[in-house]
Amino acid sequence: MKRLIIYFHYDAKGQVDETCRFAVRALLPFGNLIFVTNGTLRQVDREWIQANGLQSVERENVGLDVGAYRQILLSFGEQNLRNYDELILMNYTLAGPVFSLQSMFDAMEARKDLDFWGLTRHYAMRSRRFGGWVPEHLQSHFLAIRSNMFLHESFWQYWQQMQLPRSYEESVARHETRFTEYFSAQGFRWDSYVSTEDLSAAFVNPIMACPQELVAHRGCPFFKRRSLFTSYADELRRTDGTATRALVAYLQKETTYPLDDLIESLLYSQPLAALAENMPWQYVVEALPESFQINFEQEGLQLLRFAPMKVDAVTQWYFQQSVDMAEGLVASLVTLFRQNPRMGVVCPALPAWSEAEKAWHAQWKAVAPNLVDKSPVAISATPPPAPLAGWAIVRKAALVPEQSALQHLPEFWRLPLTAQANGYYTATFETPAQASARMAQLSIYMRAGQTPAVLAKQLGRLAKHRLQRRTEGEKNH
């Protein structure tokens, strides 16, 4: 089967990262590929495209992927498309393939009954964000269209009449959720390669809700980049929040996929806070036997101590506890560095105490606005993991060269951002006792959140106690 593949790419700085390159190289044996990017590529990336014999188009960043596909299709034209049996529209939001694409293309080529197909599907739901009712549809990150459909006049009318989206929401409403229903109504037959019907009662978006299941057990060769940095609060409304951790563990243990390249790219483009919430960068550690020998210089590591974050007396006490236990856990933490070459900083997790959480957010809120234009890495409203207790073990390579734009910050905020700018992540750790207590606390908070009366009572008590303390303070004055 002769295929034309239109591969859409976007990067704010015009970089074609190794994750995109890996995907493109895997696609080349299966069709002629046009690489289209919204923006201007770096010269080194243009040279890579030319070296691989690819056609490329650099266009204004208008219309997202929909605009790019529309421009390429209308300029390429129906007559030129007549030379192909299948058209594939794919975008860079997919990472992979985790294994060979041959089995997918062989299986779908055998499906002579189909006019178009996709990698995965999204099930029907109601969503105010996307205009109300969202029908079941093939997801637009990978669509394959056969010649009897792309040579039909309705296909060209669809693209000619397309209103270019101005936002992600408009792109979903005008194209992704409309494409399948529109052409199905024209009588064209469709299906997805990955079968997930049995999951539809649980998850409307299986590739995000349970990617490890799709990759490990259902033959899905790709996963979403967004799995590693999606809004964790949103995921907790739909799942138990372990999806990315399960995916990462599977990729690392069972495949040869270069996940480290993807992590490096995301550290360059995404806030550390978002990555840290999704990735398994929170470790539970215990002391190793005293016979374990440590040479920081040989390991390329350094133990740093500095002033901790200014906090209430309770949090200060917990910080001191972490300092006291540091010596006994150093060997375990050094082992983590050996096992995780992308880890640049490791420090104690924030105490599971409400005032510590408040101080963490408050102090980040105070410093973050000054970083937006100065930091070489992405900054979000959520604070990144940081050594707030006043100590950390760092990989020297993660701090060289130091970023002068961050020098004015307190050390505990400077470290994770500097390490990220150099391509390393910051991890946190806690003891088994702390992890166990955190689980019990989570259970209590979840029960309280599901019982409005109990929650209202707790809030009432909190307001009452604060009012009493304020009144007592006024009396003392």
Side-chain angles (χ1 to χ4, degrees):
M1 183 176 284
K2 191 174 182 182
R3 299 181 182 89
L4 176 67
I5 303 169
I6 302 177
Y7 183 91
F8 169 74
H9 161 269
Y10 173 74
D11 181 82
K13 296 184 179 180
Q15 173 178 308
V16 182
D17 64 24
E18 187 54 39
T19 299
C20 278
R21 295 184 181 198
F22 186 89
V24 168
R25 285 193 295 263
L27 289 164
L28 288 180
F30 300 98
N32 295 331
L33 191 144
I34 299 176
F35 188 99
V36 55
T37 187
N38 281 7
T40 303
L41 294 177
R42 303 180 308 173
Q43 183 58 33
V44 65
D45 296 299
R46 288 197 193 101
E47 292 172 359
W48 178 84
I49 289 172
Q50 292 168 1
N52 283 274
L54 304 178
Q55 297 181 61
S56 65
V57 175
E58 298 176 37
R59 63 184 297 273
E60 188 179 357
N61 186 21
V62 175
L64 288 80
D65 58 342
V66 179
Y69 294 143
R70 181 182 186 275
Q71 177 177 323
I72 298 300
L73 285 169
L74 296 183
S75 61
F76 196 78
E78 181 181 346
Q79 283 302 117
N80 287 325
L81 264 185
R82 289 182 180 274
N83 297 319
Y84 296 92
D85 305 304
E86 191 168 72
L87 166 69
I88 292 175
L89 306 178
M90 178 178 171
N91 70 46
Y92 76 105
T93 64
L94 286 176
V98 175
F99 37 76
S100 172
L101 295 174
Q102 190 68 58
S103 58
M104 178 181 75
F105 283 117
D106 286 349
M108 298 313 286
E109 189 169 344
R111 295 285 306 274
K112 306 297 185 183
D113 58 315
L114 299 180
D115 299 304
F116 67 108
W117 59 277
L119 178 71
T120 54
R121 67 178 72 196
H122 192 293
Y123 293 97
M125 68 175 186
R126 293 196 177 278
S127 171
R128 281 185 289 181
R129 182 184 182 189
F130 299 117
W133 178 248
V134 174
E136 182 176 338
H137 61 274
L138 294 174
Q139 292 176 287
S140 63
H141 45 231
F142 188 106
L143 291 172
I145 301 104
R146 301 269 168 82
S147 58
N148 59 318
M149 180 170 147
F150 67 63
L151 294 178
H152 195 275
E153 61 180 1
S154 63
F155 180 79
W156 296 97
Q157 289 172 354
Y158 176 88
W159 291 104
Q160 288 164 352
Q161 296 170 5
M162 174 67 67
Q163 289 184 300
L164 293 187
R166 296 163 296 181
S167 66
Y168 170 71
E169 287 76 13
E170 286 189 359
S171 176
V172 171
R174 293 178 182 179
H175 172 59
E176 175 158 10
T177 62
R178 179 170 171 255
F179 187 91
T180 304
E181 188 175 57
Y182 178 88
F183 287 106
S184 179
Q186 302 284 330
F188 295 107
R189 296 156 298 180
W190 65 278
D191 200 358
S192 59
Y193 169 62
V194 182
S195 176
T196 53
E197 287 80 0
D198 59 313
L199 300 173
S200 61
F203 304 122
V204 296
N205 189 5
I207 197 171
M208 285 297 295
C210 51
Q212 185 267 344
E213 167 68 21
L214 271 60
V215 171
H217 304 299
R218 304 187 185 225
C220 187
F222 295 100
F223 60 95
K224 296 289 283 186
R225 286 178 179 239
R226 187 162 57 90
S227 288
L228 277 63
F229 61 86
T230 189
S231 168
Y232 198 61
D234 285 349
E235 290 308 299
L236 290 178
R237 285 194 284 270
R238 297 183 282 261
T239 73
D240 69 352
T242 61
T244 301
R245 289 165 173 80
L247 172 65
V248 168
Y250 176 81
L251 294 175
Q252 290 175 330
K253 294 177 182 177
E254 305 296 336
T255 77
T256 58
Y257 180 72
L259 182 64
D260 193 60
D261 290 335
L262 175 57
I263 293 174
E264 181 180 14
S265 176
L266 294 179
L267 284 167
Y268 145 82
S269 62
Q270 299 298 324
L272 180 61
L275 292 165
E277 286 179 336
N278 288 279
M279 292 291 290
W281 294 343
Q282 304 88 32
Y283 301 99
V284 178
V285 299
E286 296 183 271
L288 291 178
E290 294 183 3
S291 59
F292 190 95
Q293 300 295 315
I294 303 170
N295 185 316
F296 278 98
E297 191 64 32
Q298 289 182 359
E299 300 283 351
L301 304 175
Q302 185 176 359
L303 175 62
L304 297 182
R305 297 183 186 274
F306 39 85
M309 181 174 68
K310 295 180 180 179
V311 289
D312 64 285
V314 176
T315 305
Q316 186 176 351
W317 190 86
Y318 286 123
F319 278 175
Q320 186 57 49
Q321 293 293 299
S322 81
V323 173
D324 295 341
M325 71 180 181
E327 186 173 346
L329 296 176
V330 164
S332 297
L333 300 177
V334 169
T335 301
L336 286 181
F337 277 100
R338 291 177 179 175
Q339 297 170 344
N340 301 279
R342 188 60 61 183
M343 187 169 77
V345 181
V346 69
C347 56
L350 198 69
W353 157 246
S354 60
E355 295 301 319
E357 183 87 11
K358 291 177 185 177
W360 182 48
H361 280 273
Q363 295 207 23
W364 176 249
K365 185 177 181 180
V367 301
N370 295 325
L371 287 174
V372 173
D373 296 326
K374 300 176 183 177
S375 175
V377 295
I379 298 294
S380 71
T382 302
L388 307 181
W391 71 274
I393 299 178
V394 300
R395 192 185 300 275
K396 292 181 179 179
L399 303 182
V400 179
E402 292 192 350
Q403 304 298 313
S404 59
L406 303 176
Q407 290 293 324
H408 66 286
L409 290 174
E411 194 76 1
F412 49 76
W413 291 125
R414 186 172 68 87
L415 281 177
L417 298 176
T418 302
Q420 184 185 0
N422 286 317
Y424 295 88
Y425 68 83
T426 294
T428 59
F429 73 89
E430 57 189 353
T431 65
Q434 290 172 318
S436 177
R438 196 180 295 273
M439 290 176 61
Q441 292 168 357
L442 174 62
S443 179
I444 291 172
Y445 287 133
M446 289 182 71
R447 290 200 303 271
Q450 294 167 2
T451 310
V454 174
L455 183 59
K457 188 174 182 179
Q458 290 175 335
L459 292 173
R461 285 177 177 173
L462 179 62
K464 179 181 178 181
H465 292 160
R466 287 189 172 178
L467 182 60
Q468 286 176 341
R469 288 198 299 268
R470 182 180 299 175
T471 302
E472 291 171 359
E474 290 173 352
K475 288 180 179 178
N476 293 334
H477 285 291

